[in-house]
Amino acid sequence: MEELNQLILQRREKLLKLQEMGINPYPYEFSRTHSSADILADFEKLQEKEVAVAGRIMSNRLMGKAAFFHIQDMPGKIQIYLKKDEVGEKTFEVYKLLDMGDIVGVNGKVFKTHTGEITIYCQKLELLSKSLRPLPIVKEKVEEGKKIVYDPFSDKELRYRQRYVDLLVNPEVREVFIKRTRIISAMRQFLNQYDFLEVQTPILQPLYGGAAARPFVTHHNALDMKLYLRIADELYLKRLIVGGFDGVYEFGNDFRNEGIDRFHNPEFTQMELYVAYKDYHWMMEFTEQLISRAAQEVLKTTRIKYQGQEIDLAPPWRRLPLFEGIKKFTGRDLAGLDENKLRREAENLGVSVEDSWGGGKIIDEIFGEFVESKLIQPTFITDYPLEMSPLAKKHRQNPQLVERFEPIIAGKEIGNAFSELNDPIDQRERFEGQMELRAKGDEEAQVLDEDFIRALEHGMPPTAGLGIGIDRLVMLLTDSPSIRDVIFFPHMRPEQSNL
RNA sequence: GGGCCAGUAGCUCAGGUGGUAGAGCAGCGGCCUUUUAAGCCGUUGGUCGGAGGUUCGAUUCCUCCCUGGCUCACCA
C-alpha cells in the first residue's frame, strides 16, 4: 500500500468523525423528486415548493453560519443554500465535515437569491457517499454570456486514464458521449424502420475474416483451441442472409492488432448491415440517408463543422470512381495499367512502394497520398480494383474492378460497402488469391473460410453490404479530433505509478 | 518504429547558466447567516516521471528508460 497523502488522510478522519456522530457515510437510497434541470426549467411552478435532489458537491462557500454550495447531478448543477438556524446544529456540523466530491441528498424549498440564482433552501441534508479522494477543482465564471473556465482539468493522460474524473469535471465530455449514444439510437431507429433485424454474431471466432487486418489471438482452455477476436462481422452476417433474413445489422466491437493513433483504437465499434436483393447503388443512397438523418436527429442540422471545416451531409453525396479521383488530383490515368506500370507511376509521383505490394495496394497508396485527404465534403469513392476486395462482386461493366464504395468525409473514410460477392466459385478463387498473398508474407491477407463457401454454395441472394465506423462517425459529428475523445476508455499502456 | 514536445504539490502552472523549489486554486486553522472564480488573516503539503553518471553537491548538466501528446511511417 502506498502511503496515503495528506488530503486523503484528512478525508478519512472526517469519515471517522461522521461515523462517531452516528452518520452512515454510505447509506442505501435516497428519494429524489427532481433533477437540477427540472428545477431550473420549472422554477415558476416550483418556487417555494419542496423538492428533493441529490448530487455531488462541486463548489463550496462557507460563510460562518451559512453556506452556499452547488451539487451536480446528471443534467447539471444547482445551488444549495444552507443556514445553521434552519437545519440545526448537528446538520451544520455534518456539513462542515463534507468535502467537494461528496454525494449528498438535499430536501428544501426552491427560491431565488438576491443575485438571481435559482437555489434550494436546504431543510434537510443527508450524506449519501463520502468521497475519499480530492477532485480537481475547476472554477468558472460567466462574463458577458461567455463561460470562462479556470484551471480546467486538462492533462490528457489523466483524463483518459481516469475518465470518471474527466466526466465529472468536464461537462462537454459528457455531452460527447451522450451524443454518441444518440447517434447510435438514431441509426438503429432508421434501420428498424426498414424491418432490418438487429443480431449478434460471434466475437470469438475459430477463423477470422471480413477485413484485411491482423487479429488478436486467444485460447479456449476446455476445447484447447486457438480462437481469434473478430476483425469484422461480415462473414457471419452474410451467412444469416443465406439463412433467409432479408436484412440484418449488428453494432459491435471489432478488434484489430495494429498501431494506435488519432484514428485507430485496437477495439472499435462498427455497424455492419446486409440487405438482400440490393446492390451498391442502392446502398449509396441508403448510406447518405442513414448518416444525414442521424445528424439531423441528433444535431438538428446536416451542416456540421469539423475541425474548422464546414461540411454539409445532406444528400446527395458526390460519387467519384477511384480512378477518376486519382486522375483529378494527380493528372494520371491509372486505369488498366499493369503492376509494373503502376509501380513506375508511383515512383513518378514520389510515392514509395514496397516490392511485395500488388497493383491494388499501389493504387490504394496513391489514392491515400493524393486524394483522400482532399475530400472534405461527403464523397463516395467507387469501383475499386479487384485484388483489393476479395469479398466484393465484380463490376458489371469491368471485371478488373469490383462494385465497392467508401464514404469519405473530412478526408477520412468512415465506412466501406459493396455489392456482395455471392458466386461461391468466384469466392473460392478470391480466397485462394488471398492465400497466395499470405504465402508471400502479407499478414493481412484473408484466410480461406470453407464453411462460409459452403454457405454461399447453398445460394445467397444478390446482397448489398455496408460497414460504418461508428467511432469515426461520432468524431465527425461531435467535432472531436481524436478517436480517444469518443471512446470512454481508450486503450493505454498500463500505468506504472501506484494508485 | 523515427522526429519534435511535455512530465515540478490533489488540479493548473512558474522557476532554476548546479547549492535539494514557488504561485493560484483545493486542503487545514480563524473571522464572516443571500454567496458565486465569495472575501480577509494565518498555515500544512513535493523522492521536481524513474534509474545511472559527472560533481564536494543534481530538480537543474549527461546517458538510458518509462508515460503521454503531436507528427511521419505502419495501418483502414
Side-chain angles (χ1 to χ4, degrees):
Chain A
M1 273 297 270
E2 168 210 11
E3 283 174 51
L4 295 173
N5 83 25
Q6 185 186 11
L7 295 171
I8 292 177
L9 279 173
Q10 282 167 351
R11 284 176 181 234
R12 293 220 172 186
E13 279 164 22
K14 289 180 182 176
L15 178 78
L16 282 176
K17 279 189 194 156
L18 286 161
Q19 283 170 321
E20 281 163 15
M21 290 171 76
I23 307 276
N24 177 1
Y26 301 103
Y28 292 87
E29 52 79 45
F30 182 80
S31 297
R32 295 189 278 177
T33 60
H34 296 78
S35 74
S36 62
D38 295 337
I39 293 165
L40 298 180
D42 252 349
F43 173 71
E44 301 301 329
K45 262 191 239 162
L46 291 170
Q47 191 162 16
E48 293 305 312
K49 296 269 166 29
E50 284 190 20
V51 294
V53 296
R56 192 182 287 270
I57 299 175
M58 295 300 279
S59 74
N60 205 358
R61 291 179 290 282
L62 171 65
M63 297 175 305
K65 299 188 177 63
F68 287 94
F69 56 96
H70 281 88
I71 61 171
Q72 175 170 289
D73 59 9
M74 186 159 158
K77 289 180 191 165
I78 188 150
Q79 182 170 257
I80 313 295
Y81 177 58
L82 185 87
K83 203 164 87 167
K84 191 171 172 182
D85 293 348
E86 181 70 27
V87 296
E89 188 101 16
K90 185 180 174 189
T91 299
F92 206 72
E93 284 309 304
V94 169
Y95 163 75
K96 286 203 264 186
L97 290 168
L98 299 184
D99 288 293
M100 301 263 228
D102 286 358
I103 297 166
V104 295
V106 170
N107 294 72
K109 283 185 180 166
V110 178
F111 79 112
K112 214 179 243 184
T113 62
H114 290 161
T115 51
E117 179 162 355
I118 295 167
T119 301
I120 298 172
Y121 196 115
C122 180
Q123 290 158 326
K124 214 175 115 195
L125 174 71
E126 190 181 344
L127 174 61
L128 300 178
S129 185
K130 183 74 190 148
S131 159
L132 297 179
R133 275 181 192 266
L135 220 47
I137 304 299
V138 180
K139 294 202 171 190
E140 55 192 45
K141 177 167 77 170
V142 179
E143 204 163 75
E144 291 162 12
K146 274 188 171 177
K147 198 163 87 171
I148 307 165
V149 179
Y150 297 86
D151 298 337
F153 178 53
S154 57
D155 184 307
K156 287 199 177 163
E157 182 173 357
L158 287 177
R159 290 178 53 200
Y160 295 143
R161 287 194 195 277
Q162 300 182 45
R163 184 70 89 181
Y164 34 89
V165 173
D166 192 24
L167 285 163
L168 283 174
V169 303
N170 291 325
E172 66 282 4
V173 174
R174 178 176 24 198
E175 286 309 309
V176 166
F177 285 99
I178 290 172
K179 274 184 190 158
R180 180 183 171 116
T181 297
R182 289 201 181 132
I183 290 162
I184 291 171
S185 303
M187 292 175 76
R188 210 171 242 137
Q189 210 177 344
F190 187 71
L191 293 162
N192 288 344
Q193 277 172 16
Y194 281 78
D195 284 331
F196 300 148
L197 192 70
E198 182 169 13
V199 297
Q200 286 77 44
T201 60
I203 294 168
L204 290 173
Q205 304 181 346
L207 284 176
Y208 60 94
R214 281 186 290 174
F216 285 94
V217 187
T218 186
H219 181 260
H220 189 288
N221 288 342
L223 299 178
D224 189 22
M225 68 181 287
K226 216 184 209 183
L227 284 172
Y228 302 94
L229 275 68
R230 72 177 171 204
I231 59 172
D233 307 5
E234 173 148 357
L235 300 183
Y236 282 97
L237 290 173
K238 285 199 271 198
R239 284 171 169 98
L240 295 181
I241 298 291
V242 171
F245 294 111
D246 285 345
V248 291
Y249 71 93
E250 177 167 16
F251 282 89
N253 282 9
D254 294 338
F255 307 84
R256 297 187 185 174
N257 210 335
E258 290 157 0
I260 299 172
D261 64 26
R262 210 148 63 81
F263 296 98
H264 300 264
N265 194 62
E267 170 176 8
F268 64 101
T269 303
Q270 263 213 325
M271 190 286 295
E272 287 195 35
L273 165 71
Y274 294 85
V275 183
Y277 309 110
K278 303 296 186 192
D279 65 3
Y280 79 142
H281 291 296
W282 180 89
M283 193 57 98
M284 276 185 244
E285 284 175 30
F286 187 85
T287 302
E288 51 192 21
Q289 288 295 329
L290 176 69
I291 303 298
S292 60
R293 290 205 188 190
Q296 184 66 43
E297 185 83 20
V298 176
L299 308 175
K300 307 299 172 206
T301 177
T302 59
R303 304 184 67 90
I304 61 167
K305 205 170 198 181
Y306 184 70
Q307 304 295 291
Q309 301 167 119
E310 306 266 358
I311 294 166
D312 191 354
L313 300 172
W317 297 357
R318 173 158 66 147
R319 272 79 168 154
L320 183 64
L322 178 67
F323 285 109
E324 276 182 37
I326 292 173
K327 197 156 89 186
K328 191 175 159 74
F329 288 95
T330 67
R332 313 288 175 122
D333 190 354
L334 305 186
L337 298 187
D338 65 25
E339 198 177 310
N340 284 330
K341 285 184 180 150
L342 284 170
R343 213 168 278 278
R344 217 166 303 140
E345 286 289 352
E347 253 168 59
N348 290 340
L349 290 166
V351 175
S352 57
V353 293
E354 284 174 31
D355 293 345
S356 63
W357 293 0
K361 178 88 183 165
I362 295 169
I363 290 164
D364 193 38
E365 194 65 20
I366 293 171
F367 174 78
E369 186 93 356
F370 292 95
V371 187
E372 191 177 22
S373 62
K374 311 271 184 358
L375 301 173
I376 304 306
Q377 297 306 315
T379 302
F380 292 118
I381 293 294
T382 67
D383 303 341
Y384 285 70
L386 180 75
E387 65 267 35
M388 289 169 66
S389 316
L391 300 166
K393 208 166 187 166
K394 278 177 189 150
H395 195 282
R396 57 197 89 178
Q397 268 124 34
N398 182 348
Q400 305 284 80
L401 302 178
V402 291
E403 294 197 353
R404 172 181 176 184
F405 72 83
E406 290 191 351
I408 309 224
I409 308 175
K412 267 291 170 195
E413 48 143 325
I414 61 151
N416 188 16
F418 10 99
S419 299
E420 301 294 336
L421 177 54
N422 62 345
D423 173 345
I425 294 168
D426 190 358
Q427 182 66 81
R428 180 179 292 280
E429 286 168 6
R430 305 275 199 98
F431 271 138
E432 281 165 356
Q434 290 289 306
M435 295 306 268
E436 277 171 34
L437 287 177
R438 174 164 284 273
K440 280 191 208 159
D442 182 350
E443 288 184 81
E444 298 191 340
Q446 302 200 23
V447 186
L448 177 81
D449 186 333
E450 284 290 354
D451 177 72
F452 176 66
I453 290 179
R454 178 167 64 187
L456 290 188
E457 284 168 350
H458 281 285
M460 182 171 87
T463 297
L466 168 71
I468 296 285
I470 296 297
D471 312 285
R472 288 194 184 171
L473 178 62
V474 174
M475 283 170 69
L476 192 69
L477 297 184
T478 57
D479 197 15
S480 299
S482 169
I483 198 167
R484 296 181 202 99
D485 298 323
V486 301
I487 292 174
F488 272 130
F489 302 104
H491 186 78
M492 304 279 273
R493 284 196 170 85
E495 55 185 324
Q496 302 263 302
S497 64
N498 302 330
L499 286 179

